[in-house]
């Protein structure tokens, strides 16, 4: 524990001209007294740590000292490629590995390039979860992530409607979609690849048995294909809608963009008032009601009759409120 802290302290001082005891204590999550003892230990071991006294003083390395302890471990190298997704790293238990990797890279860079990571982080940030939605990390996510990294088979129990099912799985990859974690895995019995929501797992037991990964498996391509299949599979109904020009522009924001675009491509010519009629695939009447209600007077539902009646009732209620 202390050896790792001393190495990290050297890397911090190598990456920056000088750091105060308070700054080092905050970075290493120890007291300033511990920083003083660690600096003395490093000095005794031959690392030229120099302490500047006074209010503006601090610790620095002298004589152009550079440590050779900058080799990345496997977990650190893997975490480095995910460092643009800090929330995901924390949820998978990789935040410490990513921090160590960034320090080692900074220490190995030329002085003129050491601000590159800070420049990048101040100019790009990925905020994956959707607005107005709290999505706590699944409790079993770190265990699943460990199995994914190590190519270890797992025995998983998960909720499926009102029952629990147990499966042997080969965990291939993790996907974070709008704040929800999914596991892409192969079922050894059938060889089929499936997608599971991790928050529906009730137990995950990762043994020592490793599986041979199919090197041709493409996680982004697999997810894109399955996501498109899922989006189309749930569209079991249709709604006929007459849209104003403003409604046409707003439709992709109210429903699936691809579905909206394809519906507009098959639409007829505008009528005398400039409105167009489209047949829109929808999941069901309840979902269609929620989605199309956001278009307000820019959309008139023509069919099915039950959905049109719900909009007529909503319009009457709204009119009564604003009289």
């Amino acid at each position: 524990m202390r050896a790792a802290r001393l190495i990290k302290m050297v890397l911090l001082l190598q990456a920056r001209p000088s750091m105060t005891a308070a700054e080092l204590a905050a970075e290493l999550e120890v007291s300033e007294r511990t920083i003083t003892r660690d600096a003395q230990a490093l000095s005794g071991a031959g690392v030229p740590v120099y302490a500047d006294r006074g209010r503006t003083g601090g610790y620095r390395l002298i004589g152009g000292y550079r440590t050779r302890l900058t080799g990345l471990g496997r977990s650190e190298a893997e975490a480095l490629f995910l460092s643009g997704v800090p929330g995901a790293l924390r949820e998978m238990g990789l935040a410490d590995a990513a921090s160590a990797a960034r320090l080692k890279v900074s220490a190995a860079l030329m002085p003129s390039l050491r601000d590159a990571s800070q420049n990048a982080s101040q100019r790009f940030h990925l905020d994956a979860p959707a607005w107005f939605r709290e999505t706590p990390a699944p409790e079993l996510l770190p265990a699943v992530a460990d199995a994914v990294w190590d190519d270890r088979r797992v025995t998983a129990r998960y909720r499926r409607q009102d029952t629990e099912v147990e499966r042997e799985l080969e965990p291939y990859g993790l996907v974070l979609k709008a704040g929800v974690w999914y596991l892409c895995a192969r079922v050894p019995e059938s060889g089929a690849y499936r997608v599971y929501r991790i928050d529906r797992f009730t137990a995950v037991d990762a043994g020592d048995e490793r599986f041979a990964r199919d090197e041709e498996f493409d996680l982004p391509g697999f997810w894109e294909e399955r996501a498109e299949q899922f989006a189309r599979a749930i569209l079991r109904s249709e709604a006929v809608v007459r849209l104003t020009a403003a409604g046409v522009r707003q439709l992709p924001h109210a429903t699936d963009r691809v579905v909206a675009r394809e519906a507009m491509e098959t639409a007829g010519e505008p009528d005398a008032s400039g409105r167009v009629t489209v047949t829109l695939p929808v999941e069901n009447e309840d979902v269609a009601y929620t989605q199309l209600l956001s278009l307000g007077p820019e959309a008139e539902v023509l069919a099915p009759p039950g959905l049109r009646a719900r909009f007529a009732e909503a319009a009457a209620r709204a009119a009564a409120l604003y009289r």
Side-chain angles (χ1 to χ4, degrees):
M1 180 71 176
R2 191 191 186 197
R5 189 176 70 243
L6 292 175
I7 292 173
K8 190 172 182 179
M9 183 174 175
V10 173
L11 292 172
L12 284 168
L13 294 175
Q14 186 171 308
R16 308 179 192 181
S18 176
M19 294 185 70
T20 66
E23 290 171 337
L24 285 167
E27 287 278 359
L28 300 175
E29 298 180 349
V30 295
S31 67
E32 293 186 31
R33 186 184 296 272
T34 298
I35 293 298
T36 300
R37 289 197 296 265
D38 286 353
Q40 293 172 347
L42 287 171
S43 181
V47 178
V49 178
Y50 181 78
D52 291 318
R53 305 297 179 183
R55 291 179 57 188
T56 59
Y59 292 94
R60 59 187 175 88
L61 296 174
I62 61 175
Y65 178 85
R66 294 184 61 81
T67 177
R68 295 182 180 274
L69 297 173
T70 55
L72 290 177
R74 172 172 289 275
S75 64
E76 295 167 348
E78 291 168 337
L80 185 62
F81 289 99
L82 295 171
S83 59
V85 197
L89 282 170
R90 286 193 300 272
E91 293 175 3
M92 288 190 292
L94 294 173
D96 289 342
S99 175
R102 286 192 295 268
L103 272 176
K104 291 181 178 181
V105 170
S106 296
L109 289 174
M110 296 169 50
S112 61
L113 298 178
R114 285 180 190 159
D115 63 344
S117 61
Q118 182 179 3
N119 287 345
S121 65
Q122 293 302 319
R123 288 163 173 78
F124 175 77
H125 174 69
L126 176 62
D127 185 9
W131 286 105
F132 314 120
R133 183 185 302 169
E134 291 292 335
T135 51
E139 181 179 348
L140 296 174
L141 175 60
V144 176
D146 286 344
V148 169
W149 289 120
D150 294 339
D151 293 339
R152 280 183 291 135
R153 283 191 177 185
V154 301
T155 301
R157 292 186 62 83
Y158 68 96
R159 296 186 303 274
R160 189 169 68 183
Q161 297 179 347
D162 297 330
T163 62
E164 281 196 1
V165 180
E166 185 173 286
R167 288 283 186 272
E168 294 288 329
L169 300 175
E170 296 176 349
Y172 264 65
L174 294 169
V175 175
L176 177 60
K177 170 70 172 178
V180 179
W181 284 95
Y182 296 87
L183 171 68
C184 300
R186 182 169 61 183
V187 181
E189 294 178 352
S190 63
Y193 292 93
R194 303 191 184 281
V195 177
Y196 302 87
R197 276 186 62 144
I198 295 180
D199 58 7
R200 293 179 182 167
F201 284 145
T202 58
V204 173
D205 180 20
D208 297 328
E209 182 183 0
R210 285 179 163 78
F211 63 89
R213 175 179 287 267
D214 181 357
E215 298 301 329
E216 295 184 358
F217 178 79
D218 174 28
L219 179 60
F222 170 78
W223 175 259
E224 182 178 1
E225 178 183 347
R226 286 304 172 90
E228 184 176 349
Q229 289 176 0
F230 173 77
R232 294 189 179 279
I234 64 175
L235 302 178
R236 302 185 180 94
S237 302
E238 290 183 339
V240 181
V241 186
R242 185 182 291 132
L243 299 166
T244 66
V248 170
R249 293 192 299 269
Q250 295 172 21
L251 185 62
H253 303 287
T255 185
D256 182 83
R257 290 178 178 272
V258 176
V259 171
R261 184 184 69 243
E262 292 178 354
M264 292 307 307
E265 289 174 351
T266 59
E269 293 296 323
D271 61 16
S273 62
R275 297 187 299 174
V276 295
T277 300
V278 300
T279 300
L280 187 69
V282 295
E283 185 173 346
N284 53 53
E285 286 194 12
D286 290 335
V287 174
Y289 176 78
T290 302
Q291 292 175 333
L292 296 175
L293 194 62
S294 65
L295 299 180
E298 309 304 331
E300 178 190 359
V301 175
L302 304 178
L307 183 59
R308 179 177 174 85
R310 290 179 66 176
F311 272 89
E313 179 188 1
R317 289 164 54 197
L321 287 175
Y322 288 98
R323 283 198 183 112

